[in-house]
Structure formats: structure tokens, C-alpha cells
């Protein structure tokens, strides 16, 4: 079984434990790990199938888990490109998020920040999305291009109205852009990973044996990841605006107007630095969804507890088995990446 999948199956953690774990996995040094070090760590985990994060006596195993979980995709067992690993989300999106929330002078000044933000977000979602279903390269390319264009246009639309109609109220300048950015971040996940609910993603039993594909599992994985993105970017954009609103009323700002942008940038980085591990930890990496026996899975007489892998971010709740009108359901366990 893929070591990363085995880890999420065997390790049952609370929100606090997941949060502390993600603070380790988001270490910036994970972006520059050499392939040789990663391969050695993976080999160590493959040869020690009983190894877990609880092996405090062996720091090599702890470090091997850290390297594997932060650099290798759980579905494909392939290396995640450096710029799109979980640890890269903060340094790549925080500056563009800050620039996207600046006051509008003209529409041209907003195109590049918005396009950069949604381009990176779309590619990040696709790269870290579920890889267990059949998907051709051109499908991902066309889908990604369409999502980038539509997200950028929708992100610029409220700014266009603000410029054309000369709106200067707090609602139009601060509240509406934050709300739209948060909603578009969630929609970006849903659109860029729209093939998962359509084609279904793999579900596996406790031993890692693939039982079949489930559209319901794909839908829930995408939905929960989208929710975590709304929380992440919505909070990261809203809190700096609140601080800036009150800061403008201080004597220090009147004497040093330039300090506003320093405050907003610093606040954006600090808030997002906290919210990234929080959003990745909102939902556990292993969850369950109940699906009826009629689904196109391998039929078995006994109820099954199964797993599936979908995107970082991160994200399914445990649900009990269901029995309605004497209809039997499989209790499927799922493993979505938090990203």
C-alpha cells in the first residue's frame, strides 16, 4: 500500500493534532528537498510497514514521514512539483492576495494580480487533486484554462463596476470584494476538479484494495476542499481590511500614510500563515460516506469499510452506516488530501 495512504488510514487525529502536524509539513525547507533524500525516506517507509509517527525513538522515521507526506501525491505516488507542494501555497498566494485587495486606480492595474492569483490556485488544485480516475492531459489543460479565464473575469467584475460607477462606500470598496474573492476561491476548486464528481474516484477497503469508483465520494471531497478554501482566503482577506479600517483613524496613520500598506501586507501574511494549517486541518484526512449496494462497486455480502483519496486540503467527516427501508449501505471510508 502507498505509505501516505497507509499513514492517513492508521493515524486517527483530533483537530489540534492535525494542526500541529501541518505546521511541520508546511515547513518551507520541504520545497527544496532533493529527490535523493525523498527516495531514501520513501524506501525507509516501504521497508518498515509498521512504522508510525508515534515511533519517537526513531527520528529517522519521523523525518521520513514528514518528507513523504509533504512532497509525494498519495494517489499517484509521484513527486509533487516544488511550486505546488502544500508549503508553497503561502508564499505564492499571499502577495497576489494582498495586491488583489488594493484600492482600484484603474482596471489594468488589477488584471495581473487577479490573473496570477487564480492561475496559481487553479494549477494547485489540479495538481493536488484526486488522480485515481482516468484523465487525459488535454482535458486538464482545457479545463484549467477555462477556469482561469472565468475566475479572473468574475474577480474583475466588481472592480469594473467600482471604477465605472465611481463607488466609494465601504461596502463596495472592502466588503463586496472580500465576499466575492472568498466565493470564487471555493468555486475555483469546484470547477477545476469538476471531473471527480462526474467520473467518480477510487474507494478502497481497510487493506487498500480498490473496490470501485464513487461519484458521491468525489462530490464530497470536492465540496469539503472548496469549503476549506473559502475559509482560508475569505479570512485572510477580511481581517487585514478590518485592521486597516481602524488603523486609518489613528494619529499615526495621519502622520505616516505609507504605513497602511506595510500593515496590510504584514497582516495578510500573518493571518494566512495561521489559516493555511487551520484550513488543511478543518476536515480529517480520512472520512466516510455511506453509499448503497446498488452502486457500481464489487458486491460483497458483508458491509465494507472503505477508503478513497481526493485533494490537500484536506477532508471528510466520519458518517455512520445507514439503513433505510431495509436497504443495505456500504460504509465507505475516504482519504482526501487536505490540499
Amino acid at each position: 500500500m502507498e505509505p501516505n495512504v497507509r499513514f492517513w488510514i492508521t493515524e486517527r487525529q483530533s483537530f489540534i493534532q492535525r494542526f500541529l502536524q501541518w505546521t511541520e509539513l508546511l515547513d518551507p525547507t520541504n520545497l527544496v528537498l532533493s529527490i535523493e533524500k525523498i527516495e531514501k525516506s520513501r524506501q525507509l517507509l516501504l521497508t518498515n510497514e509498521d512504522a508510525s509517527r508515534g515511533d519517537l525513538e526513531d527520528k529517522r522515521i519521523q523525518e521520513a514521514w514528514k518528507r513523504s507526506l509533504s512532497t509525494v501525491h498519495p494517489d499517484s505516488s509521484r513527486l509533487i512539483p516544488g511550486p505546488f507542494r502544500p508549503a508553497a501555497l503561502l508564499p505564492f498566494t499571499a502577495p497576489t492576495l494582498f495586491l488583489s485587495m488594493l484600492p482600484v486606480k484603474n482596471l489594468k492595474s488589477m488584471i495581473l494580480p487577479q490573473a496570477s492569483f487564480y492561475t496559481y490556485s487553479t494549477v494547485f488544485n489540479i495538481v493536488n487533486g484526486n488522480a485515481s480516475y482516468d484523465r487525459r492531459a488535454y482535458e486538464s489543460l482545457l479545463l484549467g484554462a477555462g477556469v482561469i479565464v472565468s475566475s479572473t473575469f468574475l474577480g474583475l467584475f466588481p472592480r469594473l463596476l467600482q471604477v465605472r460607477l465611481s463607488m466609494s462606500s465601504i461596502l463596495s470598496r472592502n466588503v463586496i470584494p472580500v465576499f466575492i474573492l472568498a466565493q470564487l476561491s471555493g468555486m475555483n476548486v469546484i470547477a477545476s476538479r469538476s471531473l471527480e464528481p462526474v467520473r467518480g474516484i477510487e474507494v478502497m477497503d481497510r487493506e487498500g484494495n480498490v473496490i470501485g469508483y464513487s461519484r458521491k465520494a468525489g462530490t464530497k471531497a470536492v465540496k469539503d476542499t472548496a469549503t476549506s478554501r473559502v475559509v482560508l482566503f475569505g479570512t485572510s482577506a477580511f481581517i487585514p481590511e478590518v485592521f486597516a479600517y481602524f488603523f486609518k483613524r489613528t494619529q499615526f496613520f495621519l502622520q505616516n500614510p505609507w504605513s497602511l500598506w506595510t500593515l496590510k501586507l504584514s497582516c495578510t501574511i500573518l493571518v494566512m500563515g495561521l489559516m493555511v494549517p487551520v484550513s488543511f486541518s478543518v476536515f480529517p484526512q480520512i472520512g466516510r460516506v455511506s453509499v448503497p449496494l446498488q452502486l457500481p462497486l464489487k458486491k460483497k455480502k458483508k458491509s465494507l469499510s472503505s477508503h478513497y483519496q481526493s485533494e490537500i486540503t484536506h477532508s471528510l467527516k466520519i458518517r455512520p452506516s445507514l439503513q433505510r427501508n431495509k436497504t443495505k449501505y456500504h460504509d465507505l471510508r475516504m482519504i482526501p488530501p487536505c490540499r
Side-chain angles (χ1 to χ4, degrees), residues 201-220:
I201 58 178
E202 282 185 354
V203 286
M204 298 177 289
D205 60 21
R206 291 182 182 275
E207 287 72 39
N209 302 313
V210 177
I211 298 175
Y213 291 80
S214 170
R215 294 178 180 177
K216 185 174 182 179
T219 300
K220 186 158 182 60

Side-chain angles (χ1 to χ4, degrees), residues 139-171:
E139 290 179 322
S140 298
L141 184 62
L142 293 176
L143 178 63
V147 173
I148 291 170
V149 172
S150 58
S151 298
T152 302
F153 173 76
L154 293 175
L156 289 172
F157 185 72
R159 299 294 191 175
L160 176 62
L161 293 179
Q162 185 179 338
V163 172
R164 291 295 178 87
L165 302 179
S166 300
M167 296 185 296
S168 58
S169 65
I170 295 177
L171 182 65

Side-chain angles (χ1 to χ4, degrees), residues 8-138:
W8 296 123
I9 291 176
T10 57
E11 296 292 322
R12 305 297 299 169
Q13 300 173 321
S14 65
F15 170 79
I16 299 299
Q17 290 173 320
R18 293 194 299 270
F19 175 79
L20 295 176
Q21 177 177 299
W22 275 110
T23 58
E24 295 182 8
L25 300 182
L26 293 171
D27 185 345
T29 58
N30 293 327
L31 299 176
V32 293
L33 287 174
S34 65
I35 297 178
E36 182 181 359
K37 289 183 178 180
I38 297 173
E39 288 180 346
K40 288 182 178 179
S41 297
R42 297 277 294 175
Q43 189 62 35
L44 177 62
L45 297 176
L46 289 170
T47 54
N48 293 270
E49 294 189 358
D50 296 329
S52 68
R53 293 280 293 185
D55 296 329
L56 299 178
E57 298 178 357
D58 195 339
K59 293 185 177 180
R60 293 186 309 149
I61 292 180
Q62 294 182 41
E63 189 65 23
W65 277 123
K66 177 182 175 181
R67 292 174 178 176
S68 178
L69 294 171
S70 61
T71 60
V72 179
H73 196 292
D75 273 334
S76 62
S77 300
R78 296 179 181 176
L79 282 179
I80 301 173
F84 302 104
R85 292 173 186 172
L89 186 62
L90 173 63
F92 275 92
T93 57
T96 54
L97 178 64
F98 165 73
L99 293 174
S100 298
M101 298 306 299
L102 290 178
V104 180
K105 294 182 179 179
N106 56 71
L107 192 59
K108 291 182 179 179
S109 65
M110 291 302 302
I111 294 177
L112 183 59
Q114 292 278 347
S116 300
F117 177 77
Y118 290 114
T119 297
Y120 180 83
S121 297
T122 301
V123 179
F124 183 89
N125 293 331
I126 293 176
V127 169
N128 288 282
N130 192 281
S132 63
Y133 62 94
D134 293 331
R135 178 179 62 188
R136 300 181 185 277
Y138 75 86

